[in-house]
Every structure is written in C-alpha cells, then in structure tokens.
Amino acid sequence: MSAENFFDNLKNDLSFSGNREKEATCLKRYNKRGDGRLDQDEFHEMCLDLFVDDGKSFPLTETESRRIFEQLDDNQDNYIDRDEFHILWRYWLPMILQPKAALIAVDVQNDFIDGSLAVAQAEEIVPVINRILDDEGMFEQVIYTYDWHPENHVSFHNNVCLRNIHHTSKVQQKDACVFDTVVFDGHVPMEQTLWPAHCVQHSHGAKLHADLKITKDHVDIYKGVCDHVDSYSAFFDNQRLSQTELAVALCDRRITDVYVCGLAYDVCVRHTAIDAASLGFRPFVIEDACRGLTTESCDKARREMEEAGCIMVSSTQVKSMAEANTRVPKMALQAAENVALARRKAKVKLASMNSDHGDKPLTNGFVVENSSSLDM
Ligand code: VGL
Ligand code: ZN
C-alpha cells in the first residue's frame, strides 16, 4: 500500500480513531527501530506521508515536524510513546484527516458595500463567496453575521454627545470627527472609534447584499445589538461582557475549522478570526473573499492574525483543505497545540479533584508535576 493511500484510506474511515488495531498498525509502520515508540526522525517520516498539498507531497522541514512533535510528546522525553501515540491517534489525527469546517461570512451588508461605511471594491467578494458556496456539502455549517446596531449606538459619530467622555480621552466631544477614537466614561473607560451611522437594525444598509448566496440550513448571528457597547468580533462584544450564539452553534456541530471571509478585513474579520483561534477553532482567512478599509491596517491585521495562529488561504484552496486533501503542517501544529492545551486542562482538573479529596496523589500519570507545566 502506498504512503498516501494509508492516510487517505484512514480519512475515509469514519471510525478509524476508535480502531485500536489500525492504531497499532500505524505505530508499527513508522516505528522502524521496533521499540514501540516514535523518535523525532520516525515521526518526521510519518508527517512526510501525512502532509499533502492537493495530492502532491508537501515540502516538510524538520523544524516543522519537530514543533508538532514537541506538542505531542507530553512527558517531553523525546519519544512519542504508546500512550502519547494513542492521544495522537484519538484526537490529533482526526483533526487532520477529518476536519469539520464552517464558513463564516462576516457582515456582507449593503452599508459596507455601497452604503455609509463602504469598503473599496467590497462588491467583488460577493461572486467569490458565492463560488465557495457552490459546492454544497463542503461545510457542515454556514454562518452569516450581521452588524446590527440600534439608532443610538455608541459607535455612531452622530451619537457622540449622548454619552460622557472620560477625562483621559485625547479627543473631546466638540472636536470629534468621523474615524476618531474617543474614550467614553462608564464602569471602565471604554475606547471607541467613531464610525458614520451604519447597519441600523432593519434598515436597507443592514441587509446582506442582494446577490449573496444564502444556503438552506444557515445560522444568522447578530452583533453590536446593545447601544452601549460595540462588537467587532462575531463571538464577543468589544468589552467581552457578552457572547453571541456563534461559539455554541459551532460546538453543537462539532466544528473544528472555521473559514472566515467578508467585511471589513481589518475590523470584523480580524477580530472574529482571532477570537476563533482563542476559542480553540482553527481559523482560516480567505483573503480574496475579504476587503479592508486601508492597506496599512490590513497589513497590521494580517500580522496579528498570523501571530494568533490564523492560516491565510485563497478561495481556490478552500475545497481541498476543507476536504482534507490539502493537509499542511500549520494546521497540524494548531491541532497539536489544542490537544496539548486540553491535556493540560485535564491535568489541572484531575489535580484539583485530587486535592479536593485530600488523599494520596493520583497514580495515573495525570498529576501535575510542577506549576511551570501549566504555563500557556
Ligand atoms: C465594522 C466598523 C464598524 C465591520 C463594523 O464589520 O468591519 N467596521 N462596525
Ligand atoms: Zn458597526
């Protein structure tokens, strides 16, 4: 059996992660030294077979496979032993071979296209998103988000006089121009960029572009709905005081990967993708299906998103990635980090259960040895 076939066969076997026999076969296949565990070279060989770029082999570097290895080598003894391989098989490999993808179309609304807060060339993304959505079944879930503000919203320049300014604000009410940033008074001082009034609830400007393809079982997410706090991310408001239903909707469908596109790249797309990463989803940003406000802030946004672990892709790569025919180390590293994080959390939980009961330490290897292993 050829190497691609081994993982491609697994990919099509929906119950592979529970199959202990196949797990043992896979470990044996790459454990050339025959000691029942993988060293870094053996793991690298396995990754060479696993990672592909649309059917072609991926030019994997030793550094890339080592970084993944380090996340999966839980006890850091430079081997992936049988237990660690089991976790790899059960949790990491399914994320690589059987990702569950959602598409999030952020704020593809009239006001951001040809309305009061129009983004240059925004209309061009509509056919790009429609083409991505042509392929039914590629996404487990499609989400459309709406910036959805009441008339008296805190972000509107014409409402700046409705609220008090904090003494630290560099810009005062009377001098405030559109796009300035002020600091409003409140429970905590709150920075706010002043935008032209936009996406007022139920207005034409708040409607999705008329040509945007709407899929059958989609989910609509409304954000920025409270008058006193803005919301750039489709997950949380800017103060992180409240959450939308987005995270729950994604968890309900067991989504692992989110493909983010829409408007504006440097505002709502950026915050949505970064929050997705912080919640443990793997975010992909479909760059040609986004437009931003300024080149400068788009460059900054790209750096921030990449720093947060977001993967920049073009619309032509999405199908192959969502269907796991393109499997790249960056995706696998994120998956490994998520697994490592979940392990650390499980250890903390077990350790606290242990101390709650006040009896002798657990002996199953999940006890926290030192606090530094909890650093994230
Ligand atoms: C947005 C500015 C203000 C966006 C929303 O959707 O990117 N930008 N509100
Ligand atoms: Zn807004």
Side-chain angles (χ1 to χ4, degrees), residues 46-212:
M46 178 175 141
C47 288
L48 285 174
D49 290 348
L50 179 60
F51 297 136
V52 284
D53 186 357
D54 209 1
K56 299 180 294 292
S57 70
F58 188 91
L60 177 75
T61 66
E62 300 264 344
T63 316
E64 284 169 321
S65 68
R66 184 163 37 75
R67 287 182 64 197
I68 299 169
F69 184 96
E70 283 164 358
Q71 295 294 325
L72 297 171
D73 176 18
D74 186 50
N75 63 2
Q76 294 179 4
D77 65 351
N78 283 316
Y79 290 100
I80 292 183
D81 59 35
R82 241 179 257 281
D83 288 347
E84 288 159 350
F85 191 82
H86 180 62
I87 299 285
L88 170 162
W89 181 267
R90 185 84 185 74
Y91 300 103
W92 179 71
L93 210 48
M95 277 196 261
I96 320 286
L97 294 175
Q98 295 166 349
K100 284 185 180 285
L103 182 81
I104 307 179
V106 175
D107 302 357
V108 189
Q109 293 164 279
N110 293 324
D111 270 342
F112 295 120
I113 296 169
D114 55 9
S116 59
L117 191 38
V119 177
Q121 278 116 38
E123 197 160 20
E124 293 173 5
I125 70 170
V126 175
V128 180
I129 299 173
N130 287 349
R131 256 194 311 278
I132 298 170
L133 287 173
D134 268 346
D135 210 315
E136 293 282 339
M138 192 154 85
F139 301 106
E140 305 280 327
Q141 196 167 43
V142 177
I143 315 262
Y144 300 91
T145 77
Y146 293 77
D147 212 29
W148 194 250
H149 301 315
E151 299 255 16
N152 61 345
H153 194 249
V154 65
S155 76
F156 295 175
H157 171 255
N158 56 300
N159 290 335
V160 70
C161 292
L162 300 183
R163 292 167 187 85
N164 295 328
I165 295 278
H166 191 258
H167 65 88
T168 57
S169 185
K170 291 199 185 76
V171 180
Q172 298 309 307
Q173 266 141 335
K174 61 177 176 20
D175 313 314
C177 300
V178 176
F179 304 122
D180 277 349
T181 298
V182 297
V183 182
F184 283 116
D185 208 0
H187 296 300
V188 284
M190 184 180 76
E191 262 195 16
Q192 177 66 54
T193 300
L194 300 173
W195 306 101
H198 63 280
C199 297
V200 172
Q201 295 171 3
H202 308 288
S203 67
H204 170 76
K207 289 206 165 75
L208 298 183
H209 188 281
D211 297 341
L212 183 67

